[in-house]
Amino acid sequence: MSKSEVTVSVIGAGYVGLTTAVLLAEAGYTTYIIDINQARLQKIKEGRSFFYEDGIDPLIAHAVENKKLIPTDSYDESIPHSQVVFSCVGTPDNPDGSSNLTYVFSAAEQAGKLLKPGAVFVQKSTVPVGTGARVEETFVKLKKNVAYVSNPEFLREGTAISDTLYFDRIVAGGNDKKAVEQVMDLYKTIERHRDKITERAGLKVPEHQKGQYITTNRNSAELIKVTANAFLALKISFANSIAKLSDHTDADVLEVMDAVGADRRIGRAFLNAGRGYGGGCFPKDVSGLIASANEHGVELPIMTAASDVNDSMPGYIAEKAQVALGGSLPGKKVAVLGLAFKAGTSDVRRSPGVHIANLLVKNGAAVSAYDPQANQEAREDLHQKVSLYENWQDAVKDTDAIFITTEWPEFSKVGAKELRKLMDGTVVVDAMNMLDKNSIREAGLTYIGVGRS
Ligand code: UDX
């Protein structure tokens, strides 16, 4: 079948679903993007995304105009016409840390009823190992002759388009080898079109070009995803543990990790100490892995420790600042710069910046805050006493201390002398370890990093 005849549906217009759908559409496949959220659908119809992501809007606009990307809330309109259906629904965590699979099963059930014989159902949502087997049982109960493929997603928010076009690996696993190949073919088509797509998105071609296509079994594919995220989270918590030791020993964790990471067996990536990891993936993937291992009678103390270290970081940083401010926060004015869980996104899920701002309010400080992209998104999660500003200069005016909590490029350009003029006090807490500590100190300010001696 030629690609122009292949129709694809993507369930869930979130970060993963919308990125996948728009790239399939740009590669030439007629692609339905299904969501129940009318506001999201409306934005897609207008040619943009509901979240900030570099390069995605021009692609959405182009694909919608060409009628290759079709936003809909209707399974009836989309699923019966599709050879391949991707499920990209959310998997939030339950209060006990396990993965909540309600949306995964309801999407499979609703789509399952409408899938045509021989169709392929592709799971992209991050699910605990063993979930695919349960979804397959649902299809058997529905008496559906359809194939199931686990195809986990590795894209990062902020670089989602580039990560998908210039991937390290595409992983697909399932019992039906032909269906697995069919899924791989979709990605190979995207790869063939990637130069043109990159240009349209206004993105740069990265140095890394050659990714791997890895075919495996269904359960291995599921476990690969959570294991990769757990290992990256582990690296961050490891770096943060060494940062705490550096704080007590006059070592600089940046220099330590640069040298440690120069060993190719270890690698420098994800060894940046700071306020810890946040976002829609790492926190819940770590707790989901621990819960899923426990269900199988396996303890993962190494991951429990990683999670505990991460949870400790906002408090650790607030405490360091409190000591520098003379021991107590009531009556002190502080600014938090950075509310997105990382730079390049407007996502504030489990954002350490939001957590730190709320903690500082709880401890009695008057808190102002600013983020270049996430002010609006953060409002709901921020304590009502936090005042939001439209630029960093207004946020830091007359403060006793400032906290940098997201590595936005504009914060690295903040001049030490300008800060000194705007602030009342002198405490600069660099919770991302991104500022030049010497120029901060030379301007007469007190630099506090995480493990920066
Ligand atoms: C992550 C995975 O990287 C991606 O492969 C997967 O598909 C989804 O989860 P994402 O959550 O978008 O992606 O962000 P990522 O860039 O991995 O950062 C996660 C968090 O870790 C952020 O809060 C970031 O600030 C923090 N981080 C990252 C550190 O604290 N130190 C580091 O060295 C790297």
Side-chain angles (χ1 to χ4, degrees), residues 16 126 153-159 163 169 225 228-229 232 235-236 239-240 268-282 285 310 341-343 350 352 405 407 432:
V16 170
T126 302
E153 182 52 60
F154 301 103
L155 64 79
R156 291 164 299 172
E157 289 174 33
T159 50
D163 283 352
R169 75 298 208 198
K225 164 70 192 203
N229 273 1
L232 293 170
K235 283 186 93 174
I236 298 168
N240 280 329
R268 179 63 180 84
F270 283 72
L271 287 177
N272 292 318
R275 66 344 183 215
Y277 55 79
C281 292
F282 285 175
D285 288 356
N310 197 58
F341 83 94
K342 66 171 194 176
R350 304 276 176 98
T405 44
E407 74 285 27
M432 302 309 296

mmCIF file of all heavy atoms in Angstrom, residues 16 126 153-159 163 169 225 228-229 232 235-236 239-240 268-282 285 310 341-343 350 352 405 407 432, ligand 1:
data_model
loop_
_atom_site.group_PDB
_atom_site.id
_atom_site.type_symbol
_atom_site.label_atom_id
_atom_site.label_comp_id
_atom_site.label_asym_id
_atom_site.label_seq_id
_atom_site.Cartn_x
_atom_site.Cartn_y
_atom_site.Cartn_z
ATOM 1 N N VAL A 16 3.161 14.158 23.349
ATOM 2 C CA VAL A 16 3.615 13.038 22.513
ATOM 3 C C VAL A 16 2.694 12.867 21.306
ATOM 4 O O VAL A 16 3.148 12.764 20.164
ATOM 5 C CB VAL A 16 3.663 11.729 23.348
ATOM 6 C CG1 VAL A 16 3.884 10.512 22.454
ATOM 7 C CG2 VAL A 16 4.761 11.827 24.402
ATOM 8 N N THR A 126 3.349 5.704 28.146
ATOM 9 C CA THR A 126 4.285 4.977 29.017
ATOM 10 C C THR A 126 3.495 4.125 29.992
ATOM 11 O O THR A 126 2.738 4.646 30.807
ATOM 12 C CB THR A 126 5.158 5.981 29.797
ATOM 13 O OG1 THR A 126 5.830 6.796 28.836
ATOM 14 C CG2 THR A 126 6.179 5.270 30.659
ATOM 15 N N GLU A 153 7.890 6.117 23.553
ATOM 16 C CA GLU A 153 8.344 7.421 23.070
ATOM 17 C C GLU A 153 9.502 7.937 23.918
ATOM 18 O O GLU A 153 9.469 7.805 25.129
ATOM 19 C CB GLU A 153 7.159 8.404 23.156
ATOM 20 C CG GLU A 153 7.459 9.764 22.649
ATOM 21 C CD GLU A 153 8.053 9.710 21.250
ATOM 22 O OE1 GLU A 153 7.387 9.197 20.345
ATOM 23 O OE2 GLU A 153 9.204 10.170 21.082
ATOM 24 N N PHE A 154 10.507 8.516 23.271
ATOM 25 C CA PHE A 154 11.663 9.022 24.025
ATOM 26 C C PHE A 154 11.860 10.526 23.872
ATOM 27 O O PHE A 154 12.879 11.052 24.305
ATOM 28 C CB PHE A 154 12.936 8.290 23.580
ATOM 29 C CG PHE A 154 12.865 6.800 23.775
ATOM 30 C CD1 PHE A 154 12.634 5.947 22.703
ATOM 31 C CD2 PHE A 154 12.993 6.246 25.045
ATOM 32 C CE1 PHE A 154 12.544 4.572 22.890
ATOM 33 C CE2 PHE A 154 12.906 4.870 25.241
ATOM 34 C CZ PHE A 154 12.679 4.038 24.165
ATOM 35 N N LEU A 155 10.924 11.209 23.213
ATOM 36 C CA LEU A 155 11.141 12.647 22.963
ATOM 37 C C LEU A 155 11.151 13.443 24.260
ATOM 38 O O LEU A 155 10.512 13.074 25.246
ATOM 39 C CB LEU A 155 10.089 13.201 22.002
ATOM 40 C CG LEU A 155 8.612 13.228 22.390
ATOM 41 C CD1 LEU A 155 8.272 14.386 23.321
ATOM 42 C CD2 LEU A 155 7.774 13.334 21.139
ATOM 43 N N ARG A 156 11.898 14.523 24.247
ATOM 44 C CA ARG A 156 11.915 15.455 25.382
ATOM 45 C C ARG A 156 11.098 16.683 25.015
ATOM 46 O O ARG A 156 11.149 17.131 23.865
ATOM 47 C CB ARG A 156 13.348 15.925 25.675
ATOM 48 C CG ARG A 156 14.250 14.872 26.225
ATOM 49 C CD ARG A 156 15.698 15.299 26.105
ATOM 50 N NE ARG A 156 16.061 15.505 24.704
ATOM 51 C CZ ARG A 156 17.208 16.033 24.285
ATOM 52 N NH1 ARG A 156 18.096 16.439 25.163
ATOM 53 N NH2 ARG A 156 17.469 16.181 22.996
ATOM 54 N N GLU A 157 10.373 17.225 25.966
ATOM 55 C CA GLU A 157 9.666 18.467 25.700
ATOM 56 C C GLU A 157 10.697 19.566 25.448
ATOM 57 O O GLU A 157 11.770 19.573 26.033
ATOM 58 C CB GLU A 157 8.788 18.845 26.894
ATOM 59 C CG GLU A 157 7.600 17.927 27.015
ATOM 60 C CD GLU A 157 6.806 18.184 28.278
ATOM 61 O OE1 GLU A 157 6.729 19.338 28.727
ATOM 62 O OE2 GLU A 157 6.264 17.211 28.818
ATOM 63 N N GLY A 158 10.332 20.486 24.567
ATOM 64 C CA GLY A 158 11.260 21.572 24.238
ATOM 65 C C GLY A 158 12.095 21.239 23.008
ATOM 66 O O GLY A 158 12.499 22.125 22.263
ATOM 67 N N THR A 159 12.371 19.929 22.806
ATOM 68 C CA THR A 159 13.107 19.507 21.607
ATOM 69 C C THR A 159 12.365 18.338 20.954
ATOM 70 O O THR A 159 12.968 17.475 20.333
ATOM 71 C CB THR A 159 14.552 19.063 21.952
ATOM 72 O OG1 THR A 159 14.489 18.130 23.045
ATOM 73 C CG2 THR A 159 15.435 20.219 22.346
ATOM 74 N N ASP A 163 13.963 15.728 18.397
ATOM 75 C CA ASP A 163 14.220 14.393 18.978
ATOM 76 C C ASP A 163 13.555 13.300 18.149
ATOM 77 O O ASP A 163 14.082 12.189 18.033
ATOM 78 C CB ASP A 163 13.652 14.301 20.406
ATOM 79 C CG ASP A 163 14.519 15.009 21.422
ATOM 80 O OD1 ASP A 163 15.630 15.451 21.067
ATOM 81 O OD2 ASP A 163 14.087 15.117 22.590
ATOM 82 N N ARG A 169 17.043 6.090 18.920
ATOM 83 C CA ARG A 169 16.482 4.791 18.560
ATOM 84 C C ARG A 169 14.961 4.857 18.506
ATOM 85 O O ARG A 169 14.336 5.631 19.246
ATOM 86 C CB ARG A 169 16.938 3.670 19.497
ATOM 87 C CG ARG A 169 16.329 3.574 20.894
ATOM 88 C CD ARG A 169 16.590 4.734 21.750
ATOM 89 N NE ARG A 169 16.616 4.446 23.165
ATOM 90 C CZ ARG A 169 16.498 5.382 24.099
ATOM 91 N NH1 ARG A 169 16.302 6.649 23.757
ATOM 92 N NH2 ARG A 169 16.558 5.078 25.368
ATOM 93 N N LYS A 225 11.374 1.569 27.927
ATOM 94 C CA LYS A 225 10.984 2.969 28.142
ATOM 95 C C LYS A 225 11.169 3.399 29.598
ATOM 96 O O LYS A 225 11.843 4.380 29.904
ATOM 97 C CB LYS A 225 9.523 3.148 27.709
ATOM 98 C CG LYS A 225 8.855 4.405 28.206
ATOM 99 C CD LYS A 225 9.390 5.642 27.551
ATOM 100 C CE LYS A 225 8.908 6.870 28.262
ATOM 101 N NZ LYS A 225 8.893 8.055 27.494
ATOM 102 N N ALA A 228 14.858 3.425 30.744
ATOM 103 C CA ALA A 228 15.645 4.564 30.240
ATOM 104 C C ALA A 228 15.376 5.794 31.097
ATOM 105 O O ALA A 228 16.304 6.473 31.549
ATOM 106 C CB ALA A 228 15.298 4.835 28.772
ATOM 107 N N ASN A 229 14.107 6.074 31.351
ATOM 108 C CA ASN A 229 13.788 7.263 32.154
ATOM 109 C C ASN A 229 14.289 7.108 33.588
ATOM 110 O O ASN A 229 14.786 8.066 34.185
ATOM 111 C CB ASN A 229 12.281 7.524 32.144
ATOM 112 C CG ASN A 229 11.891 8.376 30.952
ATOM 113 O OD1 ASN A 229 12.729 8.739 30.138
ATOM 114 N ND2 ASN A 229 10.621 8.695 30.839
ATOM 115 N N LEU A 232 18.038 7.815 33.733
ATOM 116 C CA LEU A 232 18.354 9.245 33.633
ATOM 117 C C LEU A 232 18.041 9.954 34.959
ATOM 118 O O LEU A 232 18.826 10.789 35.426
ATOM 119 C CB LEU A 232 17.569 9.885 32.482
ATOM 120 C CG LEU A 232 17.979 9.402 31.080
ATOM 121 C CD1 LEU A 232 16.987 9.912 30.029
ATOM 122 C CD2 LEU A 232 19.394 9.859 30.734
ATOM 123 N N LYS A 235 20.782 9.221 37.364
ATOM 124 C CA LYS A 235 21.983 10.029 37.124
ATOM 125 C C LYS A 235 21.832 11.407 37.786
ATOM 126 O O LYS A 235 22.756 11.906 38.424
ATOM 127 C CB LYS A 235 22.236 10.224 35.618
ATOM 128 C CG LYS A 235 22.844 9.021 34.916
ATOM 129 C CD LYS A 235 23.202 9.342 33.455
ATOM 130 C CE LYS A 235 24.636 9.816 33.266
ATOM 131 N NZ LYS A 235 24.993 9.983 31.838
ATOM 132 N N ILE A 236 20.638 12.009 37.633
ATOM 133 C CA ILE A 236 20.423 13.350 38.210
ATOM 134 C C ILE A 236 20.520 13.290 39.738
ATOM 135 O O ILE A 236 21.192 14.106 40.366
ATOM 136 C CB ILE A 236 19.054 13.924 37.769
ATOM 137 C CG1 ILE A 236 19.006 14.086 36.250
ATOM 138 C CG2 ILE A 236 18.782 15.264 38.457
ATOM 139 C CD1 ILE A 236 17.619 14.374 35.687
ATOM 140 N N ALA A 239 24.063 12.923 40.825
ATOM 141 C CA ALA A 239 24.772 14.208 40.757
ATOM 142 C C ALA A 239 24.366 15.099 41.937
ATOM 143 O O ALA A 239 25.217 15.778 42.532
ATOM 144 C CB ALA A 239 24.466 14.909 39.434
ATOM 145 N N ASN A 240 23.090 15.073 42.298
ATOM 146 C CA ASN A 240 22.645 15.914 43.420
ATOM 147 C C ASN A 240 23.211 15.424 44.755
ATOM 148 O O ASN A 240 23.502 16.233 45.645
ATOM 149 C CB ASN A 240 21.116 15.981 43.460
ATOM 150 C CG ASN A 240 20.596 16.982 42.428
ATOM 151 O OD1 ASN A 240 21.274 17.966 42.121
ATOM 152 N ND2 ASN A 240 19.418 16.724 41.882
ATOM 153 N N ARG A 268 28.614 12.675 30.103
ATOM 154 C CA ARG A 268 28.359 13.895 30.877
ATOM 155 C C ARG A 268 26.865 14.213 31.020
ATOM 156 O O ARG A 268 26.459 14.918 31.949
ATOM 157 C CB ARG A 268 29.084 15.075 30.184
ATOM 158 C CG ARG A 268 28.899 16.417 30.838
ATOM 159 C CD ARG A 268 29.479 16.421 32.250
ATOM 160 N NE ARG A 268 29.306 17.708 32.913
ATOM 161 C CZ ARG A 268 28.200 18.075 33.551
ATOM 162 N NH1 ARG A 268 27.136 17.267 33.584
ATOM 163 N NH2 ARG A 268 28.140 19.253 34.153
ATOM 164 N N ALA A 269 26.042 13.708 30.084
ATOM 165 C CA ALA A 269 24.628 14.111 30.067
ATOM 166 C C ALA A 269 23.900 13.680 31.341
ATOM 167 O O ALA A 269 24.186 12.629 31.916
ATOM 168 C CB ALA A 269 23.934 13.497 28.862
ATOM 169 N N PHE A 270 22.976 14.519 31.772
ATOM 170 C CA PHE A 270 22.108 14.239 32.927
ATOM 171 C C PHE A 270 22.863 14.093 34.241
ATOM 172 O O PHE A 270 22.417 13.421 35.162
ATOM 173 C CB PHE A 270 21.176 13.042 32.641
ATOM 174 C CG PHE A 270 20.030 13.459 31.756
ATOM 175 C CD1 PHE A 270 20.248 13.736 30.413
ATOM 176 C CD2 PHE A 270 18.757 13.652 32.271
ATOM 177 C CE1 PHE A 270 19.213 14.190 29.606
ATOM 178 C CE2 PHE A 270 17.718 14.104 31.475
ATOM 179 C CZ PHE A 270 17.953 14.375 30.136
ATOM 180 N N LEU A 271 24.033 14.735 34.302
ATOM 181 C CA LEU A 271 24.763 14.798 35.579
ATOM 182 C C LEU A 271 24.772 16.236 36.089
ATOM 183 O O LEU A 271 25.682 16.633 36.797
ATOM 184 C CB LEU A 271 26.192 14.270 35.395
ATOM 185 C CG LEU A 271 26.308 12.751 35.226
ATOM 186 C CD1 LEU A 271 27.760 12.336 34.969
ATOM 187 C CD2 LEU A 271 25.761 12.000 36.447
ATOM 188 N N ASN A 272 23.766 17.024 35.688
ATOM 189 C CA ASN A 272 23.698 18.409 36.160
ATOM 190 C C ASN A 272 22.948 18.470 37.474
ATOM 191 O O ASN A 272 21.746 18.189 37.529
ATOM 192 C CB ASN A 272 23.026 19.300 35.121
ATOM 193 C CG ASN A 272 23.895 19.442 33.888
ATOM 194 O OD1 ASN A 272 25.118 19.602 33.997
ATOM 195 N ND2 ASN A 272 23.290 19.329 32.726
ATOM 196 N N ALA A 273 23.690 18.854 38.510
ATOM 197 C CA ALA A 273 23.060 18.986 39.822
ATOM 198 C C ALA A 273 22.252 20.276 39.854
ATOM 199 O O ALA A 273 22.511 21.202 39.090
ATOM 200 C CB ALA A 273 24.139 19.007 40.894
ATOM 201 N N GLY A 274 21.286 20.346 40.741
ATOM 202 C CA GLY A 274 20.455 21.540 40.848
ATOM 203 C C GLY A 274 19.243 21.261 41.711
ATOM 204 O O GLY A 274 19.333 20.498 42.684
ATOM 205 N N ARG A 275 18.110 21.797 41.278
ATOM 206 C CA ARG A 275 16.906 21.657 42.126
ATOM 207 C C ARG A 275 16.157 20.349 41.874
ATOM 208 O O ARG A 275 15.071 20.134 42.394
ATOM 209 C CB ARG A 275 16.013 22.878 42.018
ATOM 210 C CG ARG A 275 15.293 23.253 40.742
ATOM 211 C CD ARG A 275 15.693 22.659 39.479
ATOM 212 N NE ARG A 275 14.931 23.183 38.361
ATOM 213 C CZ ARG A 275 14.595 22.440 37.319
ATOM 214 N NH1 ARG A 275 14.936 21.166 37.233
ATOM 215 N NH2 ARG A 275 13.935 22.987 36.323
ATOM 216 N N GLY A 276 16.752 19.457 41.072
ATOM 217 C CA GLY A 276 16.137 18.138 40.878
ATOM 218 C C GLY A 276 15.234 18.094 39.667
ATOM 219 O O GLY A 276 14.966 19.109 39.038
ATOM 220 N N TYR A 277 14.785 16.880 39.334
ATOM 221 C CA TYR A 277 13.963 16.713 38.128
ATOM 222 C C TYR A 277 12.480 16.916 38.425
ATOM 223 O O TYR A 277 12.000 16.625 39.505
ATOM 224 C CB TYR A 277 14.193 15.350 37.477
ATOM 225 C CG TYR A 277 13.975 14.151 38.379
ATOM 226 C CD1 TYR A 277 12.695 13.677 38.658
ATOM 227 C CD2 TYR A 277 15.051 13.462 38.933
ATOM 228 C CE1 TYR A 277 12.489 12.563 39.456
ATOM 229 C CE2 TYR A 277 14.861 12.357 39.739
ATOM 230 C CZ TYR A 277 13.569 11.910 39.996
ATOM 231 O OH TYR A 277 13.374 10.814 40.800
ATOM 232 N N GLY A 278 11.782 17.434 37.407
ATOM 233 C CA GLY A 278 10.327 17.561 37.489
ATOM 234 C C GLY A 278 9.727 17.102 36.177
ATOM 235 O O GLY A 278 10.347 16.329 35.442
ATOM 236 N N GLY A 279 8.525 17.590 35.884
ATOM 237 C CA GLY A 279 7.913 17.274 34.599
ATOM 238 C C GLY A 279 6.916 16.134 34.654
ATOM 239 O O GLY A 279 6.681 15.533 35.705
ATOM 240 N N GLY A 280 6.349 15.869 33.474
ATOM 241 C CA GLY A 280 5.297 14.863 33.378
ATOM 242 C C GLY A 280 5.818 13.441 33.293
ATOM 243 O O GLY A 280 5.019 12.495 33.254
ATOM 244 N N CYS A 281 7.148 13.259 33.244
ATOM 245 C CA CYS A 281 7.675 11.892 33.048
ATOM 246 C C CYS A 281 8.477 11.349 34.223
ATOM 247 O O CYS A 281 8.058 10.384 34.857
ATOM 248 C CB CYS A 281 8.517 11.844 31.784
ATOM 249 S SG CYS A 281 7.532 12.051 30.304
ATOM 250 N N PHE A 282 9.635 11.940 34.497
ATOM 251 C CA PHE A 282 10.543 11.310 35.470
ATOM 252 C C PHE A 282 9.890 10.997 36.822
ATOM 253 O O PHE A 282 9.988 9.869 37.291
ATOM 254 C CB PHE A 282 11.794 12.171 35.685
ATOM 255 C CG PHE A 282 12.788 12.120 34.547
ATOM 256 C CD1 PHE A 282 13.917 12.920 34.554
ATOM 257 C CD2 PHE A 282 12.599 11.267 33.463
ATOM 258 C CE1 PHE A 282 14.836 12.877 33.514
ATOM 259 C CE2 PHE A 282 13.503 11.221 32.410
ATOM 260 C CZ PHE A 282 14.621 12.029 32.436
ATOM 261 N N ASP A 285 7.353 8.217 36.292
ATOM 262 C CA ASP A 285 7.928 6.985 35.756
ATOM 263 C C ASP A 285 8.749 6.257 36.824
ATOM 264 O O ASP A 285 8.757 5.023 36.882
ATOM 265 C CB ASP A 285 8.810 7.274 34.530
ATOM 266 C CG ASP A 285 7.964 7.650 33.318
ATOM 267 O OD1 ASP A 285 6.719 7.599 33.425
ATOM 268 O OD2 ASP A 285 8.540 8.012 32.269
ATOM 269 N N ASN A 310 15.625 13.289 45.140
ATOM 270 C CA ASN A 310 14.968 14.327 44.336
ATOM 271 C C ASN A 310 13.981 15.145 45.179
ATOM 272 O O ASN A 310 13.967 16.371 45.096
ATOM 273 C CB ASN A 310 14.249 13.687 43.146
ATOM 274 C CG ASN A 310 13.924 14.713 42.099
ATOM 275 O OD1 ASN A 310 14.813 15.394 41.586
ATOM 276 N ND2 ASN A 310 12.643 14.873 41.791
ATOM 277 N N PHE A 341 9.094 23.385 34.186
ATOM 278 C CA PHE A 341 9.927 22.342 34.822
ATOM 279 C C PHE A 341 11.294 22.236 34.163
ATOM 280 O O PHE A 341 12.210 21.644 34.722
ATOM 281 C CB PHE A 341 9.201 20.993 34.836
ATOM 282 C CG PHE A 341 9.311 20.183 33.571
ATOM 283 C CD1 PHE A 341 10.297 19.213 33.443
ATOM 284 C CD2 PHE A 341 8.433 20.375 32.530
ATOM 285 C CE1 PHE A 341 10.405 18.463 32.283
ATOM 286 C CE2 PHE A 341 8.543 19.632 31.359
ATOM 287 C CZ PHE A 341 9.528 18.679 31.237
ATOM 288 N N LYS A 342 11.409 22.836 32.971
ATOM 289 C CA LYS A 342 12.715 22.979 32.326
ATOM 290 C C LYS A 342 12.573 24.042 31.248
ATOM 291 O O LYS A 342 11.439 24.460 30.934
ATOM 292 C CB LYS A 342 13.190 21.658 31.720
ATOM 293 C CG LYS A 342 12.337 21.164 30.568
ATOM 294 C CD LYS A 342 13.019 19.985 29.926
ATOM 295 C CE LYS A 342 12.418 19.673 28.592
ATOM 296 N NZ LYS A 342 13.104 18.598 27.915
ATOM 297 N N ALA A 343 13.680 24.470 30.666
ATOM 298 C CA ALA A 343 13.615 25.504 29.636
ATOM 299 C C ALA A 343 13.035 24.924 28.349
ATOM 300 O O ALA A 343 13.099 23.722 28.104
ATOM 301 C CB ALA A 343 15.005 26.062 29.380
ATOM 302 N N ARG A 350 4.767 19.114 38.036
ATOM 303 C CA ARG A 350 5.811 18.772 39.028
ATOM 304 C C ARG A 350 7.030 19.687 38.890
ATOM 305 O O ARG A 350 8.179 19.224 38.926
ATOM 306 C CB ARG A 350 6.272 17.322 38.864
ATOM 307 C CG ARG A 350 5.175 16.300 38.940
ATOM 308 C CD ARG A 350 4.865 15.950 40.395
ATOM 309 N NE ARG A 350 3.751 15.040 40.456
ATOM 310 C CZ ARG A 350 3.862 13.722 40.584
ATOM 311 N NH1 ARG A 350 5.027 13.168 40.691
ATOM 312 N NH2 ARG A 350 2.791 12.964 40.634
ATOM 313 N N PRO A 352 9.905 22.022 39.840
ATOM 314 C CA PRO A 352 10.638 22.386 41.057
ATOM 315 C C PRO A 352 10.556 23.882 41.357
ATOM 316 O O PRO A 352 10.533 24.286 42.519
ATOM 317 C CB PRO A 352 12.079 21.963 40.751
ATOM 318 C CG PRO A 352 11.956 20.905 39.698
ATOM 319 C CD PRO A 352 10.768 21.314 38.873
ATOM 320 N N THR A 405 15.488 29.027 38.900
ATOM 321 C CA THR A 405 15.003 27.651 39.030
ATOM 322 C C THR A 405 14.701 26.967 37.688
ATOM 323 O O THR A 405 14.256 25.831 37.672
ATOM 324 C CB THR A 405 13.736 27.629 39.922
ATOM 325 O OG1 THR A 405 12.889 28.708 39.513
ATOM 326 C CG2 THR A 405 14.078 27.789 41.372
ATOM 327 N N GLU A 407 16.512 26.794 33.539
ATOM 328 C CA GLU A 407 17.709 27.256 32.816
ATOM 329 C C GLU A 407 17.359 27.984 31.512
ATOM 330 O O GLU A 407 17.917 27.713 30.443
ATOM 331 C CB GLU A 407 18.687 26.085 32.577
ATOM 332 C CG GLU A 407 18.299 25.069 31.502
ATOM 333 C CD GLU A 407 17.203 24.100 31.902
ATOM 334 O OE1 GLU A 407 16.359 24.413 32.752
ATOM 335 O OE2 GLU A 407 17.175 23.004 31.319
ATOM 336 N N MET A 432 20.142 26.206 39.293
ATOM 337 C CA MET A 432 20.438 25.474 38.053
ATOM 338 C C MET A 432 21.941 25.411 37.797
ATOM 339 O O MET A 432 22.363 24.878 36.770
ATOM 340 C CB MET A 432 19.764 26.147 36.851
ATOM 341 C CG MET A 432 18.265 26.284 36.920
ATOM 342 S SD MET A 432 17.414 24.745 37.311
ATOM 343 C CE MET A 432 17.812 23.740 35.893
HETATM 344 C C1 UDX B 1 12.159 12.967 29.727
HETATM 345 C C2 UDX B 1 13.126 12.075 28.915
HETATM 346 O O1 UDX B 1 14.380 12.764 28.736
HETATM 347 C C3 UDX B 1 12.525 11.696 27.573
HETATM 348 O O2 UDX B 1 13.392 10.805 26.886
HETATM 349 C C4 UDX B 1 11.160 11.015 27.830
HETATM 350 O O3 UDX B 1 10.521 10.712 26.611
HETATM 351 C C5 UDX B 1 10.260 11.912 28.674
HETATM 352 O O4 UDX B 1 10.939 12.278 29.885
HETATM 353 P P1 UDX B 1 11.422 15.533 29.636
HETATM 354 O O5 UDX B 1 10.604 15.213 30.847
HETATM 355 O O6 UDX B 1 10.825 16.309 28.511
HETATM 356 O O7 UDX B 1 11.988 14.174 28.977
HETATM 357 O O8 UDX B 1 12.692 16.391 30.127
HETATM 358 P P2 UDX B 1 14.244 16.162 30.372
HETATM 359 O O9 UDX B 1 15.003 17.054 29.489
HETATM 360 O O10 UDX B 1 14.629 14.737 30.388
HETATM 361 O O11 UDX B 1 14.370 16.749 31.867
HETATM 362 C C6 UDX B 1 13.623 16.197 32.954
HETATM 363 C C7 UDX B 1 13.906 16.960 34.239
HETATM 364 O O12 UDX B 1 15.233 16.680 34.703
HETATM 365 C C8 UDX B 1 13.839 18.481 34.108
HETATM 366 O O13 UDX B 1 13.198 19.013 35.253
HETATM 367 C C9 UDX B 1 15.287 18.904 34.044
HETATM 368 O O14 UDX B 1 15.504 20.218 34.489
HETATM 369 C C10 UDX B 1 15.930 17.882 34.977
HETATM 370 N N1 UDX B 1 17.357 17.640 34.725
HETATM 371 C C11 UDX B 1 17.778 17.153 33.522
HETATM 372 C C12 UDX B 1 18.267 17.864 35.747
HETATM 373 O O15 UDX B 1 17.922 18.282 36.851
HETATM 374 N N2 UDX B 1 19.605 17.581 35.512
HETATM 375 C C13 UDX B 1 20.043 17.093 34.332
HETATM 376 O O16 UDX B 1 21.263 16.841 34.203
HETATM 377 C C14 UDX B 1 19.103 16.872 33.294
#
